[in-house]
Amino acid sequence: MDDQQGPDEDERAALHDLQLGIEHLHRGYGHLLAFHHAIGRGMNRFDDAREQLRASGHDEHADALRDDLLPAGVVDEQWTYELVEAFVDEFLDPVDEFEADVREELADGRRHVTEDRQRRAWRERSEKDW
């Protein structure tokens, strides 16, 4: 797409900020997945400890793990997979859809319009035939 047909400077800046925002949200989602996995690994170790406590005669502690800690959630009785699902369904997917709709309207769906413009400018000034 030619720059004259593409988004104007304000639109390009808005698209760039939306793209960066989406990238940061996806990085946050990755951190949320890492949190989910870390909590899951920790809970698996607690379950191992429950078995070892029971085997060594510490039924009271084993029962507390079985009844109180292992089935509990991390936030308002929700398990981490529920937080991941809620984040995707209630926030990430709608934000992705919004960004895609704006990008479709302003740039015919093209991503990274600022970076594309920069790439073309740098290649135009290059002495290498791209």
Side-chain angles (χ1 to χ4, degrees), residues 32-33 35-36 74 78-87:
L32 182 58
L33 288 176
F35 167 75
H36 164 60
V74 297
Q78 289 186 308
W79 279 35
T80 57
Y81 79 88
E82 294 173 295
L83 299 174
V84 169
E85 289 178 357
F87 179 80

Side-chain angles (χ1 to χ4, degrees), residues 47-58:
D47 194 43
D48 293 344
R50 179 196 54 78
E51 291 176 9
Q52 294 163 351
L53 287 165
R54 177 114 29 236
S56 63
H58 298 284

Side-chain angles (χ1 to χ4, degrees), residues 12-32:
R12 187 177 287 111
L15 288 166
H16 185 69
D17 282 338
L18 284 172
Q19 183 70 45
L20 290 175
I22 289 293
E23 290 171 1
H24 282 288
L25 293 180
H26 280 267
R27 288 178 68 189
Y29 175 59
H31 292 297
L32 182 58

Side-chain angles (χ1 to χ4, degrees), residues 10 19-20 39 56 76 82 85 90-92 109 111 124:
D10 289 337
Q19 183 70 45
L20 290 175
I39 296 300
S56 63
D76 294 331
E82 294 173 295
E85 289 178 357
E90 297 172 23
F91 185 69
L92 190 59
R111 291 183 173 93
E124 285 173 7

